[in-house]
Amino acid sequence: TGALRKRGEMDGNQELMAFADKLEKATLDTIEAGEMTKDLALITSIENPTVLNSEGFIKAVREELDKNL
């Protein structure tokens, strides 16, 4: 998301910067809700996280993103 935001800054593209911010928030909200990949689940302090494969995690982030678009 940082690279997307930076590209938006370089191009003066407000829509891209806004999307990058929303994508980052959706990703963090998904993780904070306890849905994450195994590598994150191994280091989290969240009790009983839902471990998702990469595709499942991307879909969970997409669902969260859809709530904020």
Side-chain angles (χ1 to χ4, degrees):
T1 59
L4 288 174
R5 182 165 224 313
K6 185 64 175 177
R7 183 77 257 170
E9 289 172 5
M10 292 172 63
D11 293 344
N13 186 332
Q14 295 295 324
E15 289 181 16
L16 182 56
M17 290 188 294
F19 174 75
D21 292 341
K22 289 176 184 177
L23 179 58
E24 184 170 337
K25 182 178 182 336
T27 302
L28 292 173
D29 287 350
T30 300
I31 293 168
E32 289 171 356
E35 295 181 298
M36 60 195 76
T37 53
K38 186 176 181 179
D39 59 328
L40 294 176
L42 292 172
I43 61 171
T44 188
S45 60
I46 296 172
E47 291 188 32
N48 302 314
T50 301
V51 177
L52 304 169
N53 62 22
S54 295
E55 183 178 356
F57 180 69
I58 291 169
K59 287 180 178 180
V61 171
R62 173 62 190 261
E63 288 176 17
E64 188 64 35
L65 183 61
D66 285 345
K67 293 177 188 177
N68 296 309
L69 287 181

